Structure formats: C-alpha cells, structure tokens
Amino acid sequence: MDRMNWNTKADNRAERLARVSQALGSQLKGKCVATEGIGKLLEAVLEPGDRVCLEGNNQKQADFLAKALVQLDPQRVHHLHMVQSVLALPEHLDIFENGIASRLDFSFSGPQGARLAKLVSAGRIEIGAIHTYLELFARYFVDLSPKVSLVAAQAADAEGNLYTGPNTEDTPAIVEATAFSGGIVIAQVNELVDGTTTTLPRIDIPADWVSFVVKAPRPNFIEPLFTRDPAQISEIQVLMAMMAIKGIYGEYGVQRLNHGIGFDTAAIELLLPTYGESLGLKGKIAKHWALNPHPALIPAIEAGWVESVHSFGSELGMEDYIRARSDVFFTGPDGSLRSNRAFCQAAGHYACDLFIGSTLQMDLDGNSSTATLGRIAGFGGAPNMGADARGRRHSSPAWLKAGRESREGRSGAAGTPRGQKLVVQMVETFREHMQPAFVERLDAWTLQEQAGMELPPIMIYGDDVTHILTEEGIANLLMCRSDAEREQAIRGVAGYTAVGLGRDKRAVENLRDRGVIRRPQDLGIDPRDATRNLLAARSMRDLVRASGGLYQPPKRFRNW
C-alpha cells in the first residue's frame, strides 16, 4: 500500500518559493522584493483557485498590494477565493469585475456596499458568508485558512521582521493563520531598515512567519474612521446622551464598556466630564474601555475618568497623545500603541458589561440591521459587541442587575441564576433624508431574497437587545413580560414614525407606569437643559486644547 504524503502543504509552498526565485532574479534579495517586481512576485506565488487574504481593515489597507493584484493577467490568475475583513477600496471589487477573483467571505463593506450589491445581483460575486470580525478570524484557523496573505506593516528589516506600529489591527491573526498552515505571507511596508544603523522599534511579527517584504512607493492608506467633529453633535444627541448616562450607565454602574462609532456615542464621551460629573458618577462608571482611541474621549481621560483603553486599531493624529498617556493605552517600549482587533473583539464580547451603538433600521422584534435596499454593508464587529456572551462565567454588578431584570421580567423564566450583557441600540427615530429608523419589516429580508442568502443580514438580533434609546426615551426590553409588551415598548419610543404612530396608547402608558418606558422627565431630565454647552469640547480645536496640543487632527478636520 502506498504511503500517504503528509507534507503536501510544505511541498507546495516550496514549489511556489522556487518559482519566485526564478521569476525575480536580481529583484529579490533575501526576503526583500524590489518595488517594481511586485507583479512578478504575485504571478509566481498565486495559483488559480487560491484562497487569498488581502488585508483590508477598518482603517489600515494593504493598498499597494491591492492595486498590484488588480493588474494581474486573469488568464494566469483567476477564481481566487478572497477572505478579508473589510471591502474599503475600489480595488477590492475590481478584482471580481476583471475575473481574477470569484468568491468572497468578508465582514464589512462600508463605502463599497452599494457596488457590492450590484455585483452580487449580477452574478459576478459568490458570497460564502457575511461574518463578524471574530467569526472570520476564527475561520482562518479552521476552514478558511489563507494560502496567500497580503498584509501591511509600518516597517521591516532585511530579515523580514515586521513592525506594525499603532495600526496592528488584523495583521497578527492573518499572518499566524497563514504561516502555520503552509501558506505564504507577503507584506507591503512603508520603510525598510538595515538593522545596523537603524533598527525596528519593536518586532510585532517575527521574520520566520513572513515570506516576502516589499517597500510600497507611498505609505499605506489609513482612514480616520472613528474621528467625530464635536461641532456636528446636535442638541437631540446631547439629550440622548444625558439619558444614557443617567438612565443606563448610572443605574447599572457600568464600568467596562464598548462604544460603537457615531455622533451619538461621541456625545456620551463628551458629557462624562460635565454632566456625568454633576451626577457624582466619576469613579463609578466608564472606567475600562474596549475602544479605538476616539479623540472625543480626550476630555474624559484628562479629567481622570478613564483607567484603561484597549483598541481594535489606532486613530490618525492620536499617536503623540497615546504615547504621552501610556498608563491608559496599551503601548510598547517604543511608546506606540499595540492594537489588536481579534483580542479587542474578544474583550468586547466577554469582558465588557455594555455595548451601545446605532443602526439604520429596527423592527418590532428589536432586530436591527445596517443592510438596506441596494446596499450590502456587512456587520463588522457589532454582533460580537452586541451579543450576550453565553459562555461568560465571571460576574459584575451591571451584569447581575441586567440578569435579574431579565428573569423577573419574563413569566415562567425562573431557574439557574445568571447575568446578562447590556446591549443598547441608540437611534434617532428618523435618519437622514427623513428615513424612519423603525420599520415593520427590515430591508434585510428583501436583500436575502435578492442575493440568494441562507440568512437575512441582521446585524444584532432582537433577543440580545436590552434597551432602545431614542429622543423619546428609553425602552427597557428586559422588563417586558410578553412579546406583545415588547412590541409596544418599541412602538412607545419610535416617535412619529409609522411604527410609533401605531402604538396602543393605553398599553404604552401602562409600560411607562411600570418603568419599562421612561421619558426624559421620568429620569429628572429637562430637555431644555440639553444644550451643546454641556459638551466638554464643542469643536476639534477644543479637543486639541484639551490634549495639551498632543492631538494632531487630520487636515480634513482642521478649520482654523
């Protein structure tokens, strides 16, 4: 009987490396590839049908490698199966239009959402699944291990060691899954150091995990995705932030939390040193964060509210501030941030007591989605943050209080005691262009039909949502005793949308009497007090001042 070959991955890897050596010649020195040799490198490494991870994160993009991939001959490289977190650049979809790639597993499509929907409906892209970040990373180590990964780093040395800098993001998960499953890792870098006169500030990825490095002609693209100008925060958002701080953070004693992206949560961050201080909540709430280094958090940090921040990625302009506040941020000996999306997603899922974020649509079951007609946006990390971690086994006051409300609020739900994560959806009843945030039926169901998906792209399931917060008030879904009550609680804070106008007024008033629905007045909040004067910073310039000049906003946010 023939003996099985247990080294097919290693053999295939050796064949690819040999092809590279032959194809590049003098353009290859050790692991360093000449910039102009990138096309030859990719054509030598890649084979039709390969599973390829092209690093596309929320912020950092392997843009030089993406452009090079688009330029390949589809007669030689085709039917690639792309696995990547974010579709942010046009090139991420160009490779499907020109026939180089055909299948996609991803998490979030952001600015490419509308184009992705068109390509899917035209049959140009086959979607395997839309994942959360943590879910996709997990599959890298199970059944979606990349054969070739194209990543970005700040710098490399001649041996191939990588320094990822503050925007590490997805790189460790991608590289480890590839390097230890017989794959090939190619890194574009902003700079090459010689290792003698100059060395790497620290080694984030060891050289023996990296196959090739190439210096890009310009620094990799980074998007300041989490920067919000305080000047654009409205008084309605201030009112909602006041309700969040007093009616949720204060009442549950939330100390460990994650904020989604947006002006709503930026308003909360900017009210902590002012309104939160007036409530006597300093030291009692909002001490430990799983959060990108939001500039809006600077005043709270400076006022001594924040003890620690672990980050998914960094934020442009925050580098010097982070270096000067190493007690708060996770920094290396070089002073720069070490972000890690996989670990921070895990922290947000298991170590945080509260997630608060926004959505585009919510239905009467509390299901929410950012996928609307003609746009497949994906999920990102929200479903990891906005889900009750059933495997959690440590307690905290906020977690236990939410668990007690959940058990007491549902008839016949007695049994083994446990807590529950607070999952808050914070939305204005009408979005831009007067689109209602509350709907009878999510667009996600229509998108499922159009794209032939097995599941509708629902971002956060209703049974995980504990509170809905609008300008109308707070609906505590934990305290609802039936599905009918839950529906009326949602209608009760849905304002003048069709969903809100369909409320049973008597049922809603009954829920208000029981404290299931609470209006601003019920919380002792006068809406007339909700002015922008409460914000600890009312402009980008104020944030710079609060940082002592350490924060340097990107040019697009400077108006002085």
Side-chain angles (χ1 to χ4, degrees), residues 116-411:
L116 175 62
K118 291 180 181 177
L119 289 172
V120 170
S121 63
R124 304 292 296 274
I125 297 179
E126 178 189 357
I127 292 181
I130 305 173
H131 304 72
T132 74
Y133 291 135
L134 205 54
E135 180 182 17
L136 184 61
F137 301 156
R139 290 193 68 189
Y140 287 169
F141 291 91
V142 182
D143 61 335
L144 287 182
S145 301
K147 176 58 69 175
V148 177
S149 283
L150 311 175
V151 301
Q154 173 62 31
D157 61 20
E159 294 180 0
N161 294 301
L162 300 183
Y163 168 59
T164 52
N167 279 91
T168 299
E169 301 196 57
D170 302 4
T171 314
I174 296 169
V175 172
E176 184 163 342
T178 307
F180 289 87
S181 62
I184 289 179
V185 175
I186 301 171
Q188 72 169 74
V189 299
N190 297 339
E191 55 183 310
L192 282 169
V193 301
D194 59 21
T196 53
T197 57
T198 55
T199 59
L200 297 177
R202 66 172 189 254
I203 294 175
D204 290 309
I205 305 291
D208 56 359
W209 297 12
V210 180
S211 309
F212 303 102
V213 297
V214 56
K215 186 178 185 299
R218 63 187 60 84
N220 60 268
F221 177 78
I222 298 178
E223 171 71 16
L225 189 66
F226 292 87
T227 298
R228 290 293 179 270
D229 186 346
Q232 297 187 43
I233 294 175
S234 70
E235 295 192 338
I236 287 179
Q237 289 162 339
V238 172
L239 174 63
M240 293 167 63
M242 293 170 72
M243 287 191 280
I245 291 171
K246 188 172 186 180
I248 300 176
Y249 291 30
E251 291 207 3
Y252 289 88
V254 175
Q255 295 197 16
R256 305 177 304 180
L257 67 160
N258 166 260
H259 275 185
I261 182 175
F263 289 102
D264 298 328
T265 48
I268 297 174
E269 293 156 19
L270 290 169
L271 286 187
L272 289 175
T274 56
Y275 182 64
E277 188 83 32
S278 73
L279 297 175
L281 292 175
K282 184 178 177 181
K284 299 177 182 178
I285 66 169
K287 293 167 65 176
H288 303 286
W289 299 71
L291 192 73
N292 274 51
H294 292 192
L297 200 60
I298 290 173
I301 294 172
E302 294 302 300
W305 279 72
V306 180
E307 289 190 15
S308 69
V309 178
H310 186 262
S311 301
F312 310 93
S314 188
E315 193 71 358
L316 277 176
M318 286 288 284
E319 295 83 3
D320 290 342
Y321 183 76
I322 291 167
R323 183 174 286 105
R325 300 292 182 267
S326 60
D327 281 356
V328 173
F329 296 97
F330 283 69
T331 59
D334 66 306
S336 74
L337 183 74
R338 164 73 177 194
S339 61
N340 188 303
R341 192 171 306 282
F343 284 153
C344 204
Q345 289 286 324
H349 185 58
Y350 274 107
C352 289
D353 296 318
L354 174 141
F355 162 79
I356 185 166
S358 191
T359 188
L360 295 180
Q361 288 187 340
M362 175 170 282
D363 67 16
L364 291 172
D365 291 320
N367 297 313
S368 61
S369 183
T370 52
T372 55
L373 289 178
R375 185 171 180 266
I376 302 177
F379 310 124
N384 297 325
M385 308 294 110
D388 187 36
R390 304 294 292 181
R392 177 170 166 170
R393 291 298 181 269
H394 71 282
S395 64
S396 67
W399 186 73
L400 291 173
K401 178 177 171 65
R404 286 193 298 270
E405 287 184 345
S406 179
R407 291 196 307 279
E408 294 168 3
R410 301 170 193 266
S411 58

Side-chain angles (χ1 to χ4, degrees), residues 27-87:
Q27 291 181 321
L28 177 64
K29 294 182 179 180
K31 293 186 176 182
C32 297
V33 176
T35 303
E36 60 274 15
I38 187 60
K40 291 180 182 178
L41 171 65
L42 293 179
E43 286 202 343
V45 163
L46 291 168
E47 297 177 358
D50 273 347
R51 189 181 298 124
V52 176
C53 182
L54 173 59
E55 186 166 20
N57 306 326
N58 265 341
Q59 292 149 294
K60 180 179 68 174
Q61 308 294 330
D63 52 349
F64 171 62
L65 294 176
K67 288 179 170 64
L69 194 60
V70 171
Q71 299 302 317
L72 298 184
D73 181 359
Q75 296 296 318
R76 297 181 63 177
V77 179
H78 51 84
H79 287 95
L80 298 183
H81 177 183
M82 305 303 298
V83 291
Q84 64 190 83
S85 295
V86 177
L87 304 171

